[in-house]
mmCIF file of all heavy atoms in Angstrom:
data_model
loop_
_atom_site.group_PDB
_atom_site.id
_atom_site.type_symbol
_atom_site.label_atom_id
_atom_site.label_comp_id
_atom_site.label_asym_id
_atom_site.label_seq_id
_atom_site.Cartn_x
_atom_site.Cartn_y
_atom_site.Cartn_z
ATOM 1 N N LEU S 78 46.299 145.866 66.269
ATOM 2 C CA LEU S 78 45.327 146.077 67.343
ATOM 3 C C LEU S 78 45.089 147.559 67.582
ATOM 4 O O LEU S 78 43.940 148.008 67.741
ATOM 5 C CB LEU S 78 45.817 145.406 68.635
ATOM 6 C CG LEU S 78 44.840 145.442 69.810
ATOM 7 C CD1 LEU S 78 43.624 144.596 69.509
ATOM 8 C CD2 LEU S 78 45.503 144.966 71.106
ATOM 9 N N GLU S 79 46.170 148.319 67.564
ATOM 10 C CA GLU S 79 46.018 149.750 67.819
ATOM 11 C C GLU S 79 45.255 150.433 66.690
ATOM 12 O O GLU S 79 44.511 151.391 66.912
ATOM 13 C CB GLU S 79 47.395 150.390 68.017
ATOM 14 C CG GLU S 79 47.913 150.177 69.439
ATOM 15 C CD GLU S 79 49.434 150.298 69.530
ATOM 16 O OE1 GLU S 79 50.046 150.822 68.574
ATOM 17 O OE2 GLU S 79 49.998 149.855 70.551
ATOM 18 N N ALA S 80 45.437 149.934 65.482
ATOM 19 C CA ALA S 80 44.656 150.473 64.368
ATOM 20 C C ALA S 80 43.175 150.222 64.596
ATOM 21 O O ALA S 80 42.332 151.104 64.348
ATOM 22 C CB ALA S 80 45.121 149.831 63.059
ATOM 23 N N LEU S 81 42.843 149.041 65.070
ATOM 24 C CA LEU S 81 41.441 148.729 65.354
ATOM 25 C C LEU S 81 40.898 149.632 66.452
ATOM 26 O O LEU S 81 39.780 150.156 66.359
ATOM 27 C CB LEU S 81 41.301 147.266 65.788
ATOM 28 C CG LEU S 81 41.512 146.194 64.718
ATOM 29 C CD1 LEU S 81 41.297 144.813 65.316
ATOM 30 C CD2 LEU S 81 40.554 146.419 63.549
ATOM 31 N N GLN S 82 41.704 149.821 67.498
ATOM 32 C CA GLN S 82 41.258 150.651 68.617
ATOM 33 C C GLN S 82 41.027 152.088 68.174
ATOM 34 O O GLN S 82 40.057 152.733 68.578
ATOM 35 C CB GLN S 82 42.293 150.593 69.745
ATOM 36 C CG GLN S 82 42.301 149.255 70.474
ATOM 37 C CD GLN S 82 43.503 149.096 71.386
ATOM 38 O OE1 GLN S 82 44.559 149.660 71.117
ATOM 39 N NE2 GLN S 82 43.353 148.318 72.438
ATOM 40 N N ALA S 83 41.908 152.564 67.315
ATOM 41 C CA ALA S 83 41.752 153.930 66.826
ATOM 42 C C ALA S 83 40.477 154.063 66.009
ATOM 43 O O ALA S 83 39.734 155.049 66.124
ATOM 44 C CB ALA S 83 42.974 154.324 65.980
ATOM 45 N N GLU S 84 40.214 153.053 65.215
ATOM 46 C CA GLU S 84 39.023 153.074 64.356
ATOM 47 C C GLU S 84 37.741 153.028 65.188
ATOM 48 O O GLU S 84 36.745 153.673 64.867
ATOM 49 C CB GLU S 84 39.091 151.877 63.403
ATOM 50 C CG GLU S 84 38.001 151.872 62.343
ATOM 51 C CD GLU S 84 38.057 150.594 61.511
ATOM 52 O OE1 GLU S 84 39.081 149.873 61.615
ATOM 53 O OE2 GLU S 84 37.104 150.312 60.780
ATOM 54 N N ALA S 85 37.783 152.217 66.270
ATOM 55 C CA ALA S 85 36.588 152.055 67.086
ATOM 56 C C ALA S 85 36.370 153.242 68.022
ATOM 57 O O ALA S 85 35.245 153.477 68.474
ATOM 58 C CB ALA S 85 36.696 150.764 67.907
ATOM 59 N N GLY S 86 37.390 153.940 68.323
ATOM 60 C CA GLY S 86 37.272 155.122 69.165
ATOM 61 C C GLY S 86 36.671 154.866 70.531
ATOM 62 O O GLY S 86 35.687 155.487 70.908
ATOM 63 N N GLY S 87 37.227 153.883 71.251
ATOM 64 C CA GLY S 87 36.785 153.649 72.621
ATOM 65 C C GLY S 87 35.737 152.575 72.761
ATOM 66 O O GLY S 87 35.563 152.014 73.837
ATOM 67 N N LEU S 90 35.744 146.228 70.558
ATOM 68 C CA LEU S 90 36.043 145.756 69.202
ATOM 69 C C LEU S 90 35.233 144.508 68.882
ATOM 70 O O LEU S 90 34.789 143.793 69.780
ATOM 71 C CB LEU S 90 37.531 145.461 69.078
ATOM 72 C CG LEU S 90 38.467 146.600 69.478
ATOM 73 C CD1 LEU S 90 39.918 146.172 69.315
ATOM 74 C CD2 LEU S 90 38.185 147.837 68.649
#
Side-chain angles (χ1 to χ4, degrees):
Chain S
L78 185 67
E79 279 158 15
L81 289 182
Q82 288 168 331
E84 187 185 347
L90 306 180

